[in-house]
Amino acid sequence: MSQTQTARLMDGVGLARRIVEETSSKAAELARRVGVTPCLATVLVGEDPASVTYVRMKRARCAKAGIESRHVSLPATTTTAELVETLQSLSQDAGVHGILLQHPVGPHIDERAAFEAIAPEKDVDGVTMRSFGAMSFGLPGFASCTPGGIMRLLDEYEVDLAGQRAVVVGRSAILGKPVGMLLLARDATVTYCHSRTTDLAAIVQEADVVVAAVGRPRLVRGEDIKPGAVVIDAGYNPGNVGDVDFDTARTRARLITPVPGGVGPMTIAVLLAQTVDAASIQLGLAGR
Ligand code: NAP
């Protein structure tokens, strides 16, 4: 592809809409067959405005898709032990099929301990070590939502990953690490980059598939994108700016996700889909 060509945009909005429509039909089917409405419990600690907005958005999407949501709002002073107890009790509640702990939780809370209090069969946000292990071993389990959404986008655009060099920039437990594992499971040759990586540009230049998951505006330079590469930008920075220099990258890439409208909408779509799947499995109506 020459530098004057423009990459095809990967439309996360359209794909997410289709996933939510399918999910909504499955939820309606469950209600019709066994009289049970799938239920997602959302847990929020404190009142961070961004977190409050995210939870509100997720609950509104649940309602539109015919999924019930049960919200638990805890004060900012909640201790790790109290949060663990809440999550364990939701894990044991047969009326709850999926659990979402909005994160980050306060710095005084042991976030890992809190995540691990979520029963794996209700871990529809894919945050537990068990879910990560299942993802890494290619075993049944729930994917971390943003990585799961990225894989669905790659599949939608028929990106054959086998033998491709994939570079993941970022190694967080909920995004960079799991997306690398999912790419590896599809036989890509995966390189992780992070804040201590030296010569990021040289590594990106080798990539057939780049996944940017950092949270730094335009960190990945467009001029470093290999002509014909596939570029997935999971970053979301103030002003609707991604982690990739979109304007230049799109003149070199074959496929690229816009920000917004690429990866973002996929995250909630996967959360809803996994909640309905969790309900089906718990009700004995589906194999995972
Ligand atoms: P995070 O936990 O802050 O992790 C950021 C990662 O980037 C870390 O691994 C860090 O390396 C690495 N990094 C920082 N500076 C770097 C540099 N100069 N060069 C290379 N790597 C660098 O962030 P996150 O939760 O994974 O989120 C990443 C981005 O994705 C954010 O913009 C966030 O808003 C977005 N996001 C979007 C969605 C969605 O639904 N679209 C969902 C989740 C997150 P170290 O490990 O060495 O510190």
Side-chain angles (χ1 to χ4, degrees):
M1 179 177 279
S2 83
Q3 290 201 12
T4 50
Q5 277 179 290
T6 300
R8 186 172 170 210
L9 294 185
M10 300 172 87
D11 175 17
V13 175
L15 178 56
R17 190 184 304 122
R18 290 203 300 283
I19 292 172
V20 174
E21 279 165 13
E22 263 168 42
T23 300
S24 179
S25 309
K26 282 190 193 167
E29 173 73 5
L30 266 186
R32 198 181 55 74
R33 277 173 72 186
V34 287
V36 175
T37 303
C39 174
L40 175 71
T42 55
V43 179
L44 177 64
V45 181
E47 286 169 5
D48 169 67
S51 296
V52 169
T53 305
Y54 284 137
V55 170
R56 194 184 300 132
M57 234 163 70
K58 288 167 186 172
R59 297 191 70 209
R61 292 294 191 76
C62 278
K64 266 180 91 175
I67 296 171
E68 194 185 317
S69 66
R70 190 191 298 180
H71 185 57
V72 180
S73 186
L74 298 170
T77 51
T78 302
T79 62
T80 299
E82 287 163 344
L83 180 57
V84 163
E85 199 185 314
T86 299
L87 293 163
Q88 283 172 340
S89 132
L90 290 168
S91 291
Q92 284 157 17
D93 185 332
V96 168
H97 305 105
I99 300 172
L100 170 99
L101 170 61
Q102 185 63 40
H103 51 91
V105 288
H108 66 290
I109 290 179
D110 178 347
E111 187 173 270
R112 181 47 45 203
F115 282 151
E116 295 310 316
I118 298 172
E121 67 274 17
K122 298 190 181 182
D123 180 23
V124 292
D125 201 23
V127 294
T128 61
M129 289 196 278
R130 169 91 171 259
S131 295
F132 184 83
M135 256 181 286
S136 306
F137 284 105
L139 294 172
F142 294 115
S144 193
C145 289
T146 306
I150 290 171
M151 298 311 288
R152 287 187 189 219
L153 263 175
L154 290 168
D155 287 344
E156 177 71 10
Y157 287 85
E158 296 179 345
V159 176
D160 183 3
L161 294 161
Q164 299 287 292
R165 286 187 159 224
V167 169
V168 180
V169 191
R171 57 172 168 182
S172 70
I174 56 125
L175 215 179
K177 271 192 193 123
V179 82
M181 286 299 163
L182 293 172
L183 291 164
L184 182 63
R186 299 289 192 85
D187 298 325
T189 302
V190 180
T191 302
Y192 284 101
C193 299
H194 45 78
S195 65
R196 307 293 294 274
T197 295
T198 52
D199 208 354
L200 176 68
I203 299 168
V204 170
Q205 284 164 17
E206 296 284 307
D208 302 306
V209 178
V210 179
V211 179
V214 182
R216 306 237 162 164
R218 301 188 188 93
L219 176 84
V220 176
R221 299 185 312 181
E223 69 219 58
D224 292 330
I225 299 300
K226 181 168 153 182
V230 175
V231 178
I232 304 288
D233 190 350
Y236 187 69
N237 305 292
N240 280 342
V241 175
D243 288 348
V244 177
D245 171 16
F246 180 81
D247 291 340
T248 311
R250 76 179 304 192
T251 65
R252 299 174 66 84
R254 172 166 76 88
L255 287 166
I256 189 166
T257 56
V259 176
V263 173
M266 295 299 297
T267 301
I268 295 188
V270 170
L271 175 73
L272 301 185
Q274 293 194 148
T275 300
V276 174
D277 286 348
S280 304
I281 294 162
Q282 285 158 46
L283 295 163
L285 296 171
R288 229 187 263 183

